[in-house]
Amino acid sequence: MEAAVVPGRDARAPAASQASGCGKHNSPERKVYMDYNATTPLEPEVIQAMTEAMWEAWGNPSSPYSAGRKAKDIINAARESLAKMIGGKPQDIIFTSGGTESNNLVIHSVVKHFHANQPSEAHTGAHHSPVKGAKPHFITSSVEHDSIRLPLEHLVEEQVAAVTFVPVSKVSGQAEVDDILAAVRPTTCLVTIMLANNETGVVMPVPEISQRIKALNQERVAAGLPPILVHTDAAQALGKQRVDVEDLGVDFLTIVGHKAAELVTQNCEAYEAHMRDVRDYLEERLEAEFGQKRIHLNSQFPGTQRLPNTCNFSIRGPRLQGHVVLAQCRVLMASVGAACHSDHGDQPSPVLLSYGVPFDVARNALRLSVGRSTTRAEVDLVVQDLKQAVAQLEDQA
């Protein structure tokens, strides 16, 4: 399930959900799945738990009979498990149908909160408030997931809100804290910055953003301005690194439950170490087989933390667009970037362009994201598959 969690500061509102996962592939020709950033194949324990729930807990959880009580018990247990995983409180977790709904719920709830908490004349006295009657202002980054970017763009089109899209640094790959603070206006109501980018794996400085906003809020309250809330979409980070709401200091957190909460809680450090080892081996093998001059690692920024499982790279060449190379692969199952950009065809990812990746390089990008069960042997199969795909395309030239 996906969830947006409020750790108990100034606001009380957000969101969560359950998404489906890809099953294991058992075709005659061996396949290797490396698209874990899109979704995670279900573990046997998860399938068993879901099957038992559908057989035994099919009732309405508000009903008094056994199937209803069983459903309520499962929901409560899931809420407890999620809270334990992220260091939050069970009562602050709200389940939704998916991460997109969770993010939308945060955005639209903040718009309503902004208008519902306009300063009264008694509070402002004879002074005119710069907030009263104004549109709420949002701050986000230029590399957010479409479930953040599109609803914000829609609010601007409908003249419901104002939005500042802060560019990411081409040096660090991050949305810089100073740039975010510089975008603040009297009417700013929400800063929403993803915890980790779904295409490059770059981890954003969310704890520092929260700390700086919290300090700024003390000045704003003294000046009669509304406090700024902070939201992070942690869907990509969950299950790949530790996610703790207290450390992040956010008001709203979106997480996804198809990463399997109890397994993550028990094994997060082991998962992270394994994925980093396999990801690093993948990048080593790519450079060894194709040469460092031909491989461009799009997700590496010196000194910047990134998710341990994500490798975004391009193979330089005029006929080697990412989607064309994937179409020639017989073993590899992966993507050219975010699933929400899968219909862009030959156009490069807007996220990579925002990171400063040149157009021709970005157009050749592939995003390989490994999982907790990916092996070095599978990496070897994938690299050989890519070699044959590239050779076949270049022979056709």
Side-chain angles (χ1 to χ4, degrees):
M1 303 181 178
E2 304 198 358
V5 179
V6 187
R9 276 180 33 204
D10 300 320
R12 288 279 168 204
S17 75
Q18 175 93 20
S20 62
C22 291
K24 302 289 184 183
H25 295 266
N26 295 312
S27 60
E29 186 173 42
R30 181 171 182 183
K31 301 289 186 180
V32 177
Y33 180 73
M34 286 194 178
D35 203 18
Y36 282 80
N37 282 8
T39 195
T40 302
L42 293 177
E43 293 293 332
E45 301 96 318
V46 177
I47 295 174
Q48 181 179 352
M50 292 175 62
T51 302
E52 290 175 357
M54 286 186 283
W55 274 111
E56 302 172 9
W58 49 264
N60 187 313
S62 298
S63 301
Y65 40 81
S66 60
R69 292 196 303 271
K70 181 75 172 178
K72 187 173 183 178
D73 290 343
I74 290 175
I75 293 171
N76 289 338
R79 194 171 266 116
E80 292 277 353
S81 179
L82 284 172
K84 180 180 179 181
M85 176 176 60
I86 59 173
K89 300 176 182 178
Q91 64 268 27
D92 287 337
I93 293 176
I94 301 173
F95 294 123
T96 71
S97 64
T100 294
E101 182 184 351
S102 296
N103 287 339
N104 274 258
L105 179 58
V106 172
I107 291 170
H108 291 287
S109 295
V110 169
V111 171
K112 292 181 180 179
H113 180 267
F114 178 86
H115 290 300
N117 289 273
Q118 293 282 357
S120 64
E121 293 183 6
H123 185 268
T124 59
H127 301 289
H128 173 71
S129 169
V131 176
K132 191 170 181 62
K135 293 184 290 188
H137 173 241
F138 292 79
I139 299 174
T140 190
S141 81
S142 61
V143 297
E144 295 296 313
H145 190 270
D146 277 3
S147 58
I148 291 290
R149 180 182 63 83
L150 292 177
L152 289 178
E153 289 180 347
H154 179 73
L155 291 179
V156 172
E157 292 171 2
E158 296 295 314
Q159 299 185 351
V160 173
V163 180
T164 299
F165 291 91
V166 176
V168 291
S169 166
K170 292 177 174 57
V171 176
S172 69
Q174 296 175 319
E176 299 286 358
V177 180
D178 287 342
D179 293 339
I180 292 169
L181 269 291
V184 169
R185 304 176 186 175
T187 54
T188 301
C189 58
L190 182 72
V191 171
T192 173
I193 303 291
M194 59 177 23
L195 183 53
N197 185 265
N198 51 308
E199 294 194 37
T200 64
V202 167
V203 177
M204 300 295 181
V206 173
E208 186 180 353
I209 293 170
S210 297
Q211 292 170 7
R212 296 280 296 276
I213 292 295
K214 185 175 182 179
L216 178 62
N217 279 340
Q218 295 179 351
E219 302 174 15
R220 289 174 65 89
V221 171
L225 297 175
I228 300 169
L229 304 174
V230 180
H231 165 249
T232 189
D233 180 351
Q236 280 303 323
L238 195 73
K240 301 161 190 170
Q241 66 174 42
R242 182 171 174 267
V243 175
D244 187 284
V245 290
E246 293 297 329
D247 291 345
L248 294 173
V250 294
D251 298 288
F252 304 115
L253 173 75
T254 297
I255 58 175
V256 293
H258 65 284
K259 307 300 182 186
E262 291 185 10
L263 294 174
V264 169
T265 301
Q266 297 167 6
N267 304 293
C268 186
E269 291 184 4
Y271 288 162
E272 183 176 354
H274 172 76
M275 287 185 285
R276 179 174 287 107
D277 176 75
V278 174
R279 190 272 315 274
D280 291 349
Y281 179 69
L282 169 63
E283 293 179 346
E284 291 170 6
R285 295 294 301 129
L286 287 170
E287 290 184 336
E289 292 293 341
F290 291 97
Q292 290 186 352
K293 291 185 178 180
R294 198 166 189 204
I295 288 289
H296 187 277
L297 297 174
N298 303 319
S299 54
Q300 285 193 358
F301 295 86
T304 298
Q305 181 186 356
R306 57 176 171 145
L307 294 177
N309 80 316
T310 305
C311 171
N312 193 308
F313 68 96
S314 299
I315 306 172
R316 299 179 189 270
R319 297 176 59 86
L320 302 180
Q321 291 87 354
H323 69 98
V324 176
V325 172
L326 279 181
Q328 291 292 330
C329 287
R330 295 194 290 260
V331 174
L332 174 63
M333 294 187 294
S335 65
V336 297
C340 55
H341 295 151
S342 60
D343 59 351
H344 283 197
D346 199 30
Q347 294 302 308
S349 161
V351 168
L352 293 184
L353 296 178
S354 294
Y355 276 110
V357 178
F359 185 95
D360 288 343
V361 176
R363 192 168 57 176
N364 288 15
L366 295 170
R367 181 191 68 175
L368 272 55
S369 47
V370 304
R372 50 186 173 254
S373 60
T374 309
T375 66
R376 286 189 170 209
E378 289 177 323
V379 167
D380 291 334
L381 287 174
V382 164
V383 173
Q384 291 304 312
D385 193 32
L386 287 168
K387 281 189 65 178
Q388 71 82 22
V390 168
Q392 187 171 351
L393 289 169
E394 293 181 332
D395 287 343
Q396 295 172 3

